[in-house]
Amino acid sequence: MKEYQTITEISGPLVYAEVDEAIGYDEIVEIETAQGETLRGQVLESSDGVVAIQVFEGTSGIDQNASVRFLGETMKMPVTEDLLGRVLDGSGRPIDDGPEIVPEERQDIVGAAINPYSREYPEEFIETGVSAIDGMNTLVRGQKLPIFSSSGQPHSELAMQIARQASVPEEEEGDDEEGSEFAVIFGAMGITQEEANEFMEDFERTGALERSVVFMNLADDPAVERTVTPRMVLTTAEYLAFEKDYHVLVILTDMTNYCEALREIGAAREEVPGRRGYPGYMYTDLAQLYERAGRIQGRDGSVTQIPILTMPGDDDTHPIPDLTGYITEGQIYVDPNLNSQGLQPPINVLPSLSRLMDDGIGEGLTREDHADVKDQMFAAYAEGEDLRDLVNIVGREALSELDNRYLDFADAFESEFVDQGFDQNRSIEETLEIGWDLISMLPKDALNRIDEEFIEEHYREDDSEREVIEAAD
């Protein structure tokens, strides 16, 4: 191992050094300062005679007298099942005052791409306990379903709720083998200390930490570390899923902070910027993270992702949500208007979408009437939303009785179905029963998206209507 004292330039989080041998891309570097401090870095660019190194702990204290050692290997994550219940910093080091981690393996954080031929199609239900997701935009194992929010919205509370409530339905009775266990890997990037404390208090209070691994990169940590955190998270998730047969739910918040770190590093490298100053390769970089979700044939485990991003200016055409939408299978919208009305969680189901939902619901997965109930509620809520605009012009008195029922349905849908509080965990059965209560506000002849068989079984006629029908008979 050679040691160099050939640093020529320091620019932001980057250090440039002259070398006389071939240095590999992504190779890990140790930099020893004149004060005896050892900092870690990674080769970002390697050309003839000069390498660019991004330093994880920041370049403070580094000068031309510092020594640079190239370790000849890429960055690796020490993985073991004992990571469950632990809290780590953004680069994978324990910060919970627990014992040292004794790894079973050390795996490359870049990961191995899943061969498309070996992928299994995601089609098994994950229950989050949140009606607006389970009932209307269902999450399935192996899916990547982002949450689109904006600054000041309670996306952190929604993330915590999903982390502590998410579960997979019990394996069918009669199986000899035990079902795969469920784990949550929580990766926080660029969050404040206050947010970090809230996350940890919630994890510890509810006992969710026992089945979780938490990675914390704070706002005052170096931006370079932020680019490593999601890769550490996903390497841990892949190990638990594909080698230990866990069903793993990965929650990454906030992807906007991750992309800002990419932009900061790109500016330090004087790269030609792309749209709004973000690197032109940001689409590729995000795809490398999101495409690590999925299932593999012959493996019992799965990796499911819920990335959370705050849209700057609440603009979903911004490069970060725009590119994320291209790569992922849908999105969940956290709506500022619903939040201002006090709904918890304030999820707007109309622009939200789960592209894999239809394959993950129905008989044997959730319930046979799930798809019909979802379709009818979507249609009725959309009709009610349109009528709200009309009411502002002509008033409710000018509307028909059916139109007024649609308006009442829209109000009840928000107050009874969407609004459930951040501490309430609803089973899919409870969610669908609430759905039938709401659908029963509409006359039977308006239910044009539900099978007659399900209407006969589940429709609840209003007592006053039943009296009118009996009197007519």
Side-chain angles (χ1 to χ4, degrees), residues 149-370:
S149 183
S150 57
S151 296
Q153 304 308 309
H155 47 267
S156 295
E157 287 85 347
L158 179 57
M160 287 188 283
Q161 183 175 17
I162 294 171
R164 66 174 175 266
Q165 292 181 180
S167 62
V168 294
E170 295 295 324
E171 301 289 328
E172 290 185 17
E173 292 181 11
D175 289 350
D176 293 332
E177 298 179 11
E178 292 185 7
S180 297
E181 294 185 74
F182 191 76
V184 175
I185 315 288
F186 191 91
M189 294 167 284
I191 65 171
T192 64
Q193 185 65 58
E194 183 181 2
E195 287 177 305
N197 292 340
E198 286 177 7
F199 280 127
M200 290 316 305
E201 285 172 13
D202 189 81
F203 272 110
E204 290 167 1
R205 175 179 59 83
T206 60
L209 187 61
E210 293 177 13
R211 60 163 189 176
S212 306
V213 187
V214 179
F215 289 78
M216 286 284 185
N217 169 268
L218 301 180
D220 58 350
D221 289 334
V224 173
E225 185 182 271
R226 219 155 290 153
T227 65
V228 175
T229 303
R231 292 173 169 82
M232 293 281 186
V233 169
L234 290 164
T235 302
T236 306
E238 288 167 345
Y239 173 78
L240 291 174
F242 303 135
E243 297 190 28
K244 298 297 181 181
D245 296 334
Y246 280 78
H247 291 302
V248 182
L249 176 63
V250 174
I251 299 176
L252 297 170
T253 182
D254 180 344
M255 292 304 296
T256 299
N257 293 333
Y258 171 82
C259 293
E260 294 291 347
L262 287 184
R263 182 162 68 171
E264 184 178 327
I265 294 166
R269 292 176 63 185
E270 298 181 357
E271 295 171 340
V272 177
R275 197 156 47 124
R276 300 208 192 181
Y278 292 94
Y281 53 80
M282 189 164 78
Y283 179 89
T284 308
D285 196 280
L286 289 173
Q288 287 176 344
L289 299 179
Y290 295 147
E291 292 296 346
R292 292 174 73 171
R295 303 200 64 180
I296 299 178
Q297 291 178 10
R299 309 286 178 90
D300 292 333
S302 61
V303 176
T304 307
Q305 282 189 33
I306 299 184
I308 298 173
L309 55 92
T310 50
M311 301 179 291
D314 202 23
D315 176 16
D316 58 10
T317 66
H318 186 278
I320 301 172
D322 191 32
L323 298 179
T324 295
Y326 280 119
I327 303 164
T328 54
E329 292 117 10
Q331 67 279 326
I332 304 293
Y333 275 90
V334 175
D335 190 273
N337 294 327
L338 296 180
N339 185 44
S340 65
Q341 295 172 34
L343 270 65
Q344 295 180 341
I347 294 174
N348 187 350
V349 301
L350 292 179
S352 299
L353 171 70
S354 172
R355 293 191 179 97
L356 301 181
M357 175 175 183
D358 289 344
D359 298 301
I361 63 174
E363 192 171 1
L365 295 166
T366 53
R367 210 168 77 179
E368 66 276 3
D369 59 331
H370 189 164

Side-chain angles (χ1 to χ4, degrees), residues 468-473:
V468 169
I469 293 169
E470 288 172 355
D473 291 342

